[in-house]
Amino acid sequence: MAQGTSITYRNAVTNGGTNDGSAVDANVRVYRATIALDDTVNFKGASGDTDLIARLPPGSRIKQIDVISSVSLTTSTLAFGIAGTAAKFGAAKAYGVVPDTIVSWATASAQAGVMSNLPVDVLMTIGVAALPTGATNIMVVDIIYSARG
């Protein structure tokens, strides 16, 4: 499997970027956040709430965000982004009612976006309805991203 192409490199240089290892020959990493839905001290699950899910290192570029929940999230929607841009990495959409299903969020603009030289705080915003609580209910958020080095 090819690890990079000259087209990707030319595009990176043409668009003002450099071959810094985030787009060509990048290491793919996963940040996993496991959330206990009944943890009201460390996690806010009401509609309209925003929670810090991850702090990614400088030079990170998000490829995809996967969510799996042990319980139906009914009509609750999730969006992933940064402060001021709630849907930068994934627009608000419903997880759905089938537990233990992997649902992905991804945007082309986030994948092609300019990297930050600072750490990136990935936020999850909850909409429409509160997330269900319960002693055994968990939600796992995997942030798949590339980074230098």
Side-chain angles (χ1 to χ4, degrees):
M1 181 165 124
Q3 293 188 10
T5 66
S6 60
I7 293 171
T8 303
Y9 177 72
R10 278 198 307 269
N11 285 342
V13 172
T14 302
N15 293 328
T18 61
N19 184 13
D20 61 7
S22 66
V24 178
D25 296 329
N27 291 322
V28 176
R29 301 173 181 179
V30 177
Y31 180 94
R32 174 166 283 180
T34 302
I35 301 161
L37 294 176
D38 67 337
D39 182 357
T40 57
V41 174
N42 298 304
F43 180 74
K44 301 175 291 185
S47 180
D49 283 345
T50 298
D51 291 284
L52 175 64
I53 298 299
R55 176 166 285 155
L56 301 181
S60 299
R61 190 180 306 244
I62 292 179
K63 177 184 180 304
Q64 173 178 321
I65 297 174
D66 291 340
V67 175
I68 186 168
S69 175
S70 66
V71 63
S72 164
L73 300 183
T74 63
T75 60
S76 300
T77 61
L78 306 174
F80 295 92
I82 59 174
T85 310
K88 180 176 179 71
F89 306 123
K93 72 176 181 179
Y95 170 85
V97 297
V98 181
D100 298 321
T101 301
I102 297 173
V103 179
S104 296
W105 277 254
T107 64
S109 61
Q111 291 185 34
V114 176
M115 296 172 308
S116 173
N117 289 324
L118 302 172
V120 177
D121 288 343
V122 179
L123 306 175
M124 180 177 73
T125 303
I126 300 152
V128 180
L131 296 175
T133 59
T136 61
N137 296 343
I138 62 166
M139 180 170 60
V140 176
V141 179
D142 282 343
I143 301 171
I144 299 119
Y145 67 100
S146 61
R148 300 179 262 227

